[in-house]
Amino acid sequence: MTIDTCLTGFESNFLPGFVRDPYGNLNISSYPAIQMYTSISNPPPAWNASPYDAQFSATLGRWDVALVTVEPSPVKALNRYFNQTAHEVTTGWIDPNGRFSLQSTLGHLYQSPQQGATVPFYGCKRGSMDYFVSLDSGCEGARILGTNGYAYAAPAAGLNLVPLYRCSTGNDHFVSTDAKCEGQLTQQLLGYALP
């Protein structure tokens, strides 16, 4: 299990740990939910904070401990959001102060490599507002937000998979199921997701 933005809902995570009982077993609140504590920045950086500004949310004086409950699931919905300025495509958390609205659910990604789905989709952020999905674990030199999940590299027999494309408007990125990127620039085929 990867503990990052997509799992916890906090853009900055420090020193996470699972809550355990006196015998070392994971503390399961209401099965199958797992509880964990993570140190987060409070207040969190704004959705449109630059990497430079976001670093100040990581100072010791702004650390706060938060209880996070996670319900493991083999797949998570990959959603596309828009706030009239920027798109964000993620299986995880969206900053409620960013005024993002759900545009569509593009498909579903596995939370770990399995069933032939081994292509990781990484959530990335370039500058202060350009959120994008990358196949590069280093986010092409941009800020790494987390792992959205795993897709298939090619269509698989017996599965009705959905192709996902990375698109660009010039200053904003998004993901689409349309090979022509809804009239915008098609940058690459990312992979194939469960519907």
Side-chain angles (χ1 to χ4, degrees):
M1 181 178 290
T2 303
I3 299 172
D4 60 25
T5 301
C6 296
L7 179 67
T8 67
F10 298 101
E11 191 166 326
S12 298
N13 297 278
F14 322 102
L15 308 173
F18 293 107
V19 179
R20 298 181 182 272
D21 68 14
Y23 304 102
N25 299 311
L26 286 181
N27 186 16
I28 307 235
S29 55
S30 59
Y31 188 78
I34 298 173
Q35 292 181 325
M36 67 182 184
Y37 285 106
T38 183
S39 301
I40 59 164
S41 57
N42 189 12
W47 76 271
N48 58 351
S50 69
Y52 178 80
D53 291 336
Q55 75 177 334
F56 297 109
S57 72
T59 60
L60 286 176
R62 294 183 65 178
W63 279 22
D64 199 357
V65 175
L67 177 65
V68 177
T69 301
V70 178
E71 189 168 325
S73 169
V75 296
K76 291 175 83 174
L78 182 65
N79 294 316
R80 184 171 91 186
Y81 299 88
F82 187 59
N83 70 355
Q84 305 307 312
T85 302
H87 287 90
E88 186 169 359
V89 177
T90 182
T91 56
W93 175 79
I94 292 292
D95 184 347
N97 297 318
R99 298 194 170 127
F100 286 93
S101 296
L102 177 66
Q103 279 193 315
S104 65
T105 296
L106 300 165
H108 293 80
L109 301 177
Y110 285 103
Q111 285 196 55
S112 61
Q114 58 186 293
Q115 308 296 328
T118 58
V119 178
F121 280 22
Y122 298 100
C124 310
K125 184 177 178 185
R126 182 174 288 114
S128 60
M129 293 188 285
D130 186 15
Y131 291 88
F132 64 98
V133 173
S134 178
L135 302 180
D136 174 31
S137 63
C139 279
E140 303 164 37
R143 184 173 179 198
I144 302 166
L145 299 178
T147 306
N148 283 304
Y150 295 83
Y152 293 85
L159 295 176
N160 186 24
L161 299 177
V162 179
L164 297 175
Y165 300 88
R166 186 168 96 177
C167 310
S168 174
T169 65
N171 58 356
D172 179 39
H173 287 89
F174 63 97
V175 174
S176 178
T177 58
D178 176 22
K180 295 184 180 179
C181 281
E182 303 163 37
Q184 301 298 324
L185 175 66
T186 302
Q187 290 191 319
Q188 72 180 108
L189 172 65
L190 293 167
Y192 295 81
L194 297 167

